[in-house]
Amino acid sequence: MKLSADLAAFSTRLGHDFARPELLVRSVTHSSMVSPHRDDNQRLEFLGDRVLGLVMAEALLKADPSAPEGLLAPRYNALVRRETCADVARQIDLGSVIKLGRSEMKSGGRRKEALLADAMEAVIAAIYQDGGFDAARKVILTLWGARITDVAADARDAKTALQEWAQARGEEPPTYTEVARTGPDHQPAFTIAVQLASGQSETATAGSKRQAEQAAAAALLKKVDP
């Protein structure tokens, strides 16, 4: 099989030359394009998630040989979570080569965070199956780059940090409320309010509920624990 021009260019951006191009094609095929003659990328996504996890675990142990598990775990989570995978996917313009069904394409699938993250993991699995673990590790470390060395010393997400802040003071966990949803279905914007039992609150708007919750929690943390 010979890759199309756009996939050949994408392979170059990845930094991996596929001996089995069909693996790359499958890795960028969304379930909305599945047919009797075309497999989707869901099984590859499952495998890629595990390959990425092992590479990140190894990299973190090497980067900080003395760090305890309590610090390594949140750093790991920050590097493998959906938002980070989607960010890397955008970095290499993965969205432009994903094969989507008509309805998914019309709904803005190429920009959806979950879809991009899943495809990124599938691509990692394709590299692993094509060239082995060393090839996958090389590509992952290159693409994640400074994210690995710059990951915060304590990379707990803001929601976790805010909840721990409240618990340490004997307060109930913070509550999150969706205040508004605006924009078209394919590109919504969610406004979330977070409030402590003391009454202190903040709001934030983002493209997903999770992102908005995290942003609101971070803003409230800055207010109560500057």
Side-chain angles (χ1 to χ4, degrees):
M1 172 186 288
K2 184 177 180 180
L3 290 174
S4 61
D6 60 341
L7 280 179
F10 176 69
S11 178
T12 299
R13 294 198 297 276
L14 272 178
H16 180 76
D17 186 17
F18 281 84
R20 298 166 61 194
E22 65 273 13
L23 286 169
L24 178 57
V25 173
R26 181 180 169 193
S27 74
V28 298
T29 302
H30 186 257
S31 58
S32 61
M33 277 290 286
V34 70
S35 72
H37 307 291
R38 188 196 302 267
D39 292 326
D40 65 34
N41 62 6
Q42 291 181 330
R43 287 173 60 86
L44 286 175
E45 173 204 335
F46 172 82
L47 175 60
D49 175 62
R50 277 70 185 171
V51 175
L52 173 62
L54 179 55
V55 171
M56 286 299 126
E58 282 189 344
L60 288 170
L61 288 173
K62 182 177 180 181
D64 192 348
S66 63
E69 190 276 340
L71 283 182
L72 291 172
R75 295 176 190 177
Y76 171 88
N77 291 334
L79 291 169
V80 302
R81 64 191 178 196
R82 173 186 293 178
E83 292 86 351
T84 304
C85 291
D87 188 49
V88 174
R90 294 186 192 97
Q91 171 186 316
I92 55 176
D93 196 18
L94 173 54
S96 69
V97 297
I98 296 177
K99 298 181 181 298
L100 299 171
R102 181 175 299 177
S103 62
E104 190 65 52
M105 192 179 300
K106 289 177 66 176
S107 68
R110 297 188 191 282
R111 298 187 300 274
K112 292 181 179 178
E113 189 162 85
L115 193 151
L116 287 171
D118 291 347
M120 188 69 246
E121 291 174 344
V123 167
I124 287 170
I127 298 170
Y128 169 75
Q129 290 193 332
D130 187 69
F133 184 69
D134 287 343
R137 180 200 287 120
K138 179 181 178 182
V139 171
I140 291 168
L141 294 179
T142 298
L143 294 181
W144 262 250
R147 292 176 180 84
I148 300 170
T149 54
D150 293 346
V151 68
D154 183 354
R156 291 174 303 171
D157 63 80
K159 286 183 66 177
T160 300
L162 181 61
Q163 180 167 323
E164 291 179 354
W165 184 93
Q167 289 175 337
R169 289 156 180 79
E171 295 187 16
E172 292 294 317
T175 58
Y176 295 84
T177 306
E178 182 179 328
V179 176
R181 173 175 173 164
T182 58
D185 288 342
H186 69 274
Q187 199 170 12
F190 298 91
T191 299
I192 300 290
V194 58
Q195 184 171 358
L196 293 168
S198 62
Q200 294 169 296
S201 65
E202 277 290 347
T203 62
T205 301
S208 73
K209 290 183 180 179
R210 185 183 186 282
Q211 287 178 318
E213 289 173 349
Q214 292 287 352
L220 186 50
L221 267 175
K222 288 181 180 179
K223 177 188 288 187
V224 300
D225 191 21

